[in-house]
Amino acid sequence: MNVATEFKARKVIAVTHGEATSDGAGVKMTRLIGSGAQPPIDPFLMLDFFGSERAGDYIGGFPDHPHRGFETVTYMLAGRMRHSDNHGHSGVIDAGDVQWMKAGRGLIHSEMPEQDHGLMRGFQLWINLPASEKMSPPAYQEFKAAQMPVEEREGARVKIIAGAGTAGLIGPVRAPHVDATYLDVELAPGGAFRQPLPAGHQAFFVLYDGEAAAPGDAGPQLFQALSLLALGEGEEATLTGGPAGARALLLAARPLREPIAWSGPFVMNTRQELIQAYEDYRQGKF
Ligand code: MN
């Protein structure tokens, strides 16, 4: 006998709109996670959204700086960013490309605009590493836009950066420590998107273009870009495009539930490990 199953939708439990800030050499951005408005959502430490057509807002870029103890994920929507590290790794991240960098025990790198005019738009996400991986060798996963599968669903076009879609497609990024899901979803007007997610994974949408509706305690509610919609427990994430459609990221991952000791570009488990990070950096061990 066939029994229709209704998946339990994850409801929106918090809505935030980020905090205007600047980082690097004066790059203007909105900090969606990792500010007073929205603390980390374990294992996601920080999420920055940058988007401007004014070169002055981004031209300074992010000159040489260190990282230790986590991963940075850069996803460009428009424009180009050149990165270069002190281990000889460099390249350009173009519109639609993803760079997933495991900083591990440490590196020093720069992230600079590869353009002096026009729109630059994208996200940088910081994902924590478990204690066992914080001192591992740095590593990169880099994918061009064309290397990431796109699922054409009814009412939604879903680019799969990490994790699995619903039609058997899997994103190229491997994130075994937290089993991350990273999807970029384009919703048609009124288009409905549904995505099953593992139980226990933290999850949120970043609505970055248009309007979209998501379920809340009092039924569906319409939200506008720019919004971060933190989701509660349930079986699937759902989002429905507004009258002009919408674009949103869906992110999910298994929380690490480990102590966090965080200072600037270093995220460790204890204060002693932070002191060690500064000491190693000073001694040129990165
Ligand atoms: Mn960096």
Side-chain angles (χ1 to χ4, degrees):
M1 187 170 78
N2 266 334
V3 177
T5 317
E6 267 301 305
F7 287 100
K8 186 172 173 280
R10 286 173 174 254
K11 288 179 184 167
V12 175
I13 54 170
V15 184
T16 51
H17 307 284
E19 212 165 77
T21 185
S22 72
D23 209 337
V27 178
K28 291 203 174 122
M29 57 175 63
T30 303
R31 184 148 292 163
L32 286 159
I33 295 178
S35 74
Q38 175 59 67
I41 300 174
D42 184 15
F44 303 106
L45 297 164
M46 203 170 82
L47 177 61
D48 289 333
F49 178 56
F50 47 92
S52 179
E53 291 184 332
R54 294 200 309 267
D57 288 348
Y58 59 73
I59 202 72
F62 305 87
D64 276 351
H65 59 278
H67 292 294
R68 173 179 279 183
F70 57 98
E71 302 188 282
T72 68
V73 183
T74 305
Y75 177 38
M76 296 297 289
L77 297 171
R80 313 179 80 202
M81 186 83 90
R82 174 174 293 277
H83 69 96
S84 179
D85 77 15
N86 66 328
H87 297 258
H89 189 100
S90 71
V92 171
I93 312 166
D94 267 299
D97 298 352
V98 165
Q99 182 207 58
W100 200 292
M101 184 188 84
K102 181 187 191 183
R105 67 182 169 232
L107 49 72
I108 299 166
H109 77 162
S110 62
E111 301 157 281
M112 302 299 290
E114 185 80 348
Q115 64 188 63
D116 57 15
H117 65 280
L119 179 64
M120 171 165 280
R121 195 172 193 224
F123 294 94
Q124 188 171 85
L125 175 69
W126 290 14
I127 306 180
N128 205 2
L129 281 169
S132 58
E133 291 292 325
K134 283 186 180 291
M135 294 300 280
S136 60
Y140 288 90
Q141 301 182 71
E142 290 170 298
F143 297 99
K144 305 304 288 178
Q147 294 175 283
M148 285 171 277
V150 174
E151 280 184 0
E152 299 288 352
R153 306 186 192 173
E154 195 184 335
R157 188 171 183 275
V158 182
K159 177 174 174 177
I160 308 171
I161 295 165
T166 55
L169 298 177
I170 292 175
V173 170
R174 295 289 163 263
H177 315 301
V178 294
D179 285 332
T181 299
Y182 194 146
L183 308 179
D184 186 4
V185 182
E186 197 177 328
L187 287 162
F193 165 80
R194 300 170 63 179
Q195 176 70 35
L197 292 172
H201 279 208
Q202 299 263 39
F204 60 89
F205 284 110
V206 177
L207 175 60
Y208 66 89
D209 274 334
E211 297 178 326
D217 270 334
Q221 193 185 337
L222 193 65
F223 300 97
Q224 296 178 337
L226 182 67
S227 296
L228 185 141
L229 313 176
L231 303 177
E233 266 302 329
E235 289 162 321
E236 61 175 23
T238 73
L239 195 65
T240 302
R247 289 191 71 181
L249 304 183
L250 173 62
L251 279 146
R254 191 177 54 249
L256 293 170
R257 303 192 197 288
E258 290 183 1
I260 292 175
W262 180 349
S263 176
F266 309 133
V267 183
M268 305 302 289
N269 297 108
T270 68
R271 186 178 138 74
Q272 187 52 45
E273 289 166 347
L274 277 186
I275 293 167
Q276 189 65 51
Y278 279 101
E279 186 60 24
D280 289 350
Y281 179 51
R282 202 158 41 234
Q283 292 182 9
K285 291 183 178 171
F286 275 45

